[in-house]
Amino acid sequence: MKSPANTAQSAQRQHWDPDRYRSEAGFVADLGMPVVELLDPKQGERILDLGCGEGRLTAKLVAMGCDVVGVDASPDQIARAKAEGLDAHVADGEALSFEGEFDAVFSNAALHWMKQPAAVIDGVRRALKAGGRFVGEMGGHGNVQHIKSAVEAALSRRGHDPATYDPWYFPTPEAYEALLAAAGFEVSSIELIPRPTPLPGDIEGWLATFAESYLNCLDPEERLVAISEVRDELRAQLLNSEGVWVADYVRLRFHAWLRSG
Ligand code: BEZ
């Protein structure tokens, strides 16, 4: 394998531009309502929105009468959330520092970026009051598999080991349930949900928005060529007859209670 020009750590940097996110990824919050419904928030509940991004679902929970704190690793996204008047903070989801103050922890489309799930779940456990709930949705086993395989092939062709740069964690329900149970949660539901997702634009926009840290080991010129190869390879699998790109999303949705005592 080629020795990478960037270290794995610097290559893994993913940066979130709130404007690009809104245009390329507005569907993430639009499609997040089923997990809000699973959360079933009650007026006055104190809720932590883990990986809140620019806060669209955080704002929905506030509008439902909840007292919501949003946290996200991206300073740009948090700046946008604060500008919307939300109580939002930059924080590392793998090192949460809250202690026993939330009725529920909610997370949509964020946990798959956190590659130390046991540390995340431990922080969630500490953040919850006794008997609190953890309700979330993330990429699950098999998520964006066509896209992932095409990116892996493009990196391998250039002598890079894709596993070094893979920024995503897409667990099976069994694996995630075992982690939740080990941390003292009772899992009331957990399921994989295939959700082919029409994209608002070209697959190149998706790759630029979501696979930035995967492709950062390539220099800018090489990256453009690689993206074009990935696009060509995915055309047969993901571009439908109406000319719409449809990403092969698979969600892992769960609801778990923290056992008291
Ligand atoms: C997802 O929401 O499943 C996802 C987002 C970015 C990259 C990969 C998957």
Side-chain angles (χ1 to χ4, degrees):
M1 281 289 154
K2 196 197 279 187
S3 147
N6 298 332
T7 63
Q9 209 181 17
S10 68
Q12 294 238 336
R13 262 179 221 132
Q14 171 81 32
H15 114 278
W16 297 106
D17 168 344
D19 292 323
R20 182 178 74 178
Y21 191 81
R22 199 154 274 202
S23 66
E24 295 291 343
F27 65 87
V28 172
D30 295 340
L31 298 176
M33 282 315 285
V35 69
V36 172
E37 280 156 28
L38 186 62
L39 174 67
D40 191 17
K42 304 284 185 304
Q43 188 141 15
E45 278 191 320
R46 185 153 170 81
I47 295 178
L48 176 64
D49 183 353
L50 173 54
C52 65
E54 19 81 280
R56 277 187 52 207
L57 291 179
T58 322
K60 280 229 162 19
L61 296 174
V62 170
M64 293 168 96
C66 302
D67 173 16
V68 191
V69 176
V71 292
D72 200 280
S74 162
D76 291 337
Q77 295 277 62
I78 288 297
R80 181 61 61 91
K82 280 177 185 270
E84 300 289 331
L86 298 167
D87 181 4
H89 306 269
V90 177
D92 177 354
E94 293 172 346
L96 293 173
S97 58
F98 302 99
E99 294 289 340
E101 62 174 288
F102 293 101
D103 298 296
V105 176
F106 167 82
S107 186
N108 181 54
L111 296 169
H112 47 251
W113 293 104
M114 303 174 203
K115 295 196 75 177
Q116 297 185 63
V120 175
I121 292 169
D122 193 50
V124 170
R125 178 189 61 74
R126 279 185 280 104
L128 284 170
K129 296 176 185 168
R133 62 203 191 280
F134 181 24
V135 179
E137 185 172 303
M138 64 195 290
H141 186 66
N143 193 37
V144 295
Q145 190 55 52
H146 286 309
I147 301 175
K148 197 162 180 278
S149 299
V151 170
E152 283 168 3
L155 293 182
S156 296
R157 278 195 296 278
R158 289 166 173 81
H160 295 295
D161 175 12
T164 308
Y165 302 104
D166 180 354
W168 304 320
Y169 166 65
F170 299 142
T172 61
E174 294 75 18
Y176 208 67
E177 178 161 6
L179 288 173
L180 288 165
F185 286 90
E186 175 89 37
V187 178
S188 30
S189 67
I190 186 161
E191 59 178 333
L192 275 184
I193 305 168
R195 194 199 66 197
T197 302
L199 301 179
D202 197 276
I203 192 73
E204 288 192 5
W206 190 97
L207 290 164
T209 306
F210 291 112
E212 185 185 11
S213 53
Y214 217 157
L215 292 160
N216 263 356
C217 58
L218 305 177
D219 66 47
E221 244 171 67
E222 206 183 11
R223 196 180 313 140
L224 286 180
V225 178
I227 286 177
S228 157
E229 288 170 13
V230 168
R231 183 180 193 276
D232 286 346
E233 188 172 332
L234 291 174
R235 188 191 295 270
Q237 295 150 333
L238 302 182
L239 186 63
N240 75 14
S241 54
E242 276 109 53
V244 176
W245 288 93
V246 181
D248 49 339
Y249 277 72
V250 177
R251 318 316 291 160
L252 179 67
R253 189 181 296 161
F254 62 89
H255 183 297
W257 295 99
L258 184 58
R259 282 191 216 102
S260 24

